């Protein structure tokens, strides 16, 4: 069974204090790993797709990296507007069935104080 | 651009009642899906559709029905509501089934079953 574990559950940073969020996964064959941002009362917003170990993607202050067992979301010099819950999801190759199911982690609640 | 529109945003039902959550997208996306989000759990796939006239079950389909008569619309029907169906429901779409991990989410429908 595919599993995704995100840590920490919650992280509080001061503005400008860089840090990383972790997403550990167990899948039989990784088709893709996805990062989303979710603001309170809203639907998740897609951020990145990573397909293979060693791959990196960047967007503004966010950088996502991937190894064979985990992914990191690095946040450089965060601002209060980066406060949100960050979700990680994996999609596995499924023999004889659909490849559409995403397994989501429970998320990391990031709070950036001014 | 409206994106993915869900209605209603809030609904309270009594056990045994039925209702339909509406979802419409105006991006001509081929793939559409329904997820539920519960406290302390990751998002879970209920049903999905890879195109008009084609639907299939996700991870937690029991108690729900879907249909896809047009590209734009993907309603979710609760047949006989149970308290265990109290949740926040998200409709999500993507360009193609091959990019089912890169989802555009609606803002959610919060359902309470008494």
């Amino acid at each position: 069974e595919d599993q995704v574990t995100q840590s920490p559950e919650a992280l509080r940073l001061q503005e400008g204090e860089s840090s990383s969020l972790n997403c550990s996964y167990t899948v039989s064959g990784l088709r893709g790993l996805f990062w989303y941002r979710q603001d309170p009362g809203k639907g998740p917003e897609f951020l990145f797709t990573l397909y293979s170990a060693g791959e990196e993607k960047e967007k503004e202050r966010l950088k996502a990296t991937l190894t064979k067992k985990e992914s990191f979301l690095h946040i450089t010099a965060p601002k209060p507007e980066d406060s949100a819950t960050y979700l990680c999801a994996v999609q596995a190759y499924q023999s004889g069935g659909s490849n559409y199911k995403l397994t989501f982690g429970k998320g990391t609640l990031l709070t950036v104080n001014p | 651009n409206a994106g993915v529109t869900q209605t209603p945003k809030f609904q309270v039902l009594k056990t045994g009642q039925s209702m339909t959550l509406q979802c419409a997208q105006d991006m001509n996306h081929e793939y559409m899906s329904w997820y539920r989000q519960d406290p302390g759990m990751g998002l879970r796939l209920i049903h999905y559709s890879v195109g008009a006239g084609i639907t299939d079950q996700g991870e937690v389909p029991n108690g729900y029905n879907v249909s896809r008569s047009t590209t734009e619309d993907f309603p979710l029907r609760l047949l006989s509501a149970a308290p265990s169906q109290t949740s926040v429901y998200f409709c999500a779409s993507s360009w193609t089934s091959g990019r089912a991990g890169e989802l555009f989410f609606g803002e959610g429908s919060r359902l309470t079953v008494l």
Side-chain angles (χ1 to χ4, degrees), chain A residues 31 34 36 38 41-46 49 51 87 91 98 100-102 104-106, chain B residues 31 35 37 40-43 45 48 50 59 90 97-98 100-103 105-107:
Chain A
R31 194 163 191 248
F34 309 90
Y36 286 83
Q38 186 173 22
K42 303 289 186 182
E45 176 189 353
F46 169 73
T49 303
Y51 290 110
L87 304 174
Q91 187 180 35
S98 75
Y100 310 118
K101 176 194 162 191
L102 295 184
F104 279 86
K106 297 178 184 179
Chain B
Y31 178 84
Y35 282 83
Q37 187 173 42
M41 300 187 72
L43 286 151
L45 180 64
Y48 65 92
V50 299
E59 184 181 0
F90 289 100
S97 55
E102 299 176 3
L103 294 165
F105 281 83
E107 296 214 332

Side-chain angles (χ1 to χ4, degrees), chain B residues 14-16 36 38 80-87 89 111-114:
Chain B
K14 293 181 180 179
T15 297
R36 59 179 288 174
D38 301 295
S80 177
S84 61
Q85 294 179 303
T86 294
S87 187
Y89 291 85
L111 175 67
T112 302
V113 183
L114 303 175

Side-chain angles (χ1 to χ4, degrees), chain B:
Chain B
N1 231 356
V4 178
T5 302
Q6 292 183 233
T7 56
K9 288 188 175 5
F10 300 95
Q11 182 72 47
V12 178
L13 290 178
K14 293 181 180 179
T15 297
Q17 287 185 317
S18 61
M19 77 158 299
T20 299
L21 300 179
Q22 301 290 346
C23 175
Q25 53 91 7
D26 62 358
M27 298 173 283
N28 201 31
H29 282 178
E30 176 182 285
Y31 178 84
M32 296 186 74
S33 56
W34 278 100
Y35 282 83
R36 59 179 288 174
Q37 187 173 42
D38 301 295
M41 300 187 72
L43 286 151
R44 292 180 293 168
L45 180 64
I46 304 172
H47 283 286
Y48 65 92
S49 169
V50 299
I54 306 170
T55 64
D56 206 346
Q57 297 181 352
E59 184 181 0
V60 287
N62 292 341
Y64 308 95
N65 267 356
V66 292
S67 60
R68 183 107 177 262
S69 56
T70 67
T71 300
E72 295 78 19
D73 300 300
F74 191 45
L76 178 72
R77 280 181 286 278
L78 280 72
L79 308 174
S80 177
S84 61
Q85 294 179 303
T86 294
S87 187
V88 181
Y89 291 85
F90 289 100
C91 180
S93 68
S94 68
W95 293 105
T96 68
S97 55
R99 294 174 66 179
E102 299 176 3
L103 294 165
F104 290 77
F105 281 83
E107 296 214 332
S109 297
R110 183 177 295 274
L111 175 67
T112 302
V113 183
L114 303 175

